[in-house]
Amino acid sequence: MPDQAALEQELRQLHETRGAIEERIRYAQARGRYGDAGEAEDGREDEGAALVELDRIMTRIRAVEGKLALSRRGLKPRIG
């Protein structure tokens, strides 16, 4: 059975990472809107890359939340 404390710690770290990525997206959007031509293009590219990272983090968050929910009910995940 997965260790609940370890899952909760991983979930906290993932949420901290999510917050940092969301801040990066906000900054990239501002650069995309208000920067000069080169900076605006860089901002849009950075926003796209950050969105991909955010998608991965959100997927991992959902997986850890699922494992934690199963662990709290005394069950094991079928995979992983």
Side-chain angles (χ1 to χ4, degrees):
M1 186 173 324
D3 179 28
Q4 285 186 19
L7 289 171
E8 289 169 351
Q9 176 63 27
E10 182 179 0
L11 192 58
R12 277 191 294 277
Q13 289 173 344
L14 287 167
H15 278 293
E16 288 175 11
T17 302
R18 179 190 50 81
I21 292 172
E22 287 174 345
E23 181 64 29
R24 183 175 147 202
I25 290 169
R26 283 189 290 277
Y27 179 67
Q29 287 173 336
R31 285 174 38 213
R33 285 188 196 116
Y34 307 113
D36 60 24
E39 187 178 7
E41 184 61 33
D42 290 345
R44 286 188 287 275
E45 288 175 10
D46 191 35
E47 180 184 4
L51 287 169
V52 170
E53 288 181 45
L54 182 61
D55 181 58
R56 289 184 184 137
I57 292 293
M58 294 302 294
T59 299
R60 184 65 189 147
I61 286 172
R62 297 299 172 258
V64 172
E65 286 175 340
K67 285 182 180 182
L68 191 56
L70 287 173
S71 179
R72 287 178 177 157
R73 291 175 39 202
L75 302 171
K76 275 179 50 174
R78 292 183 196 167
I79 299 174

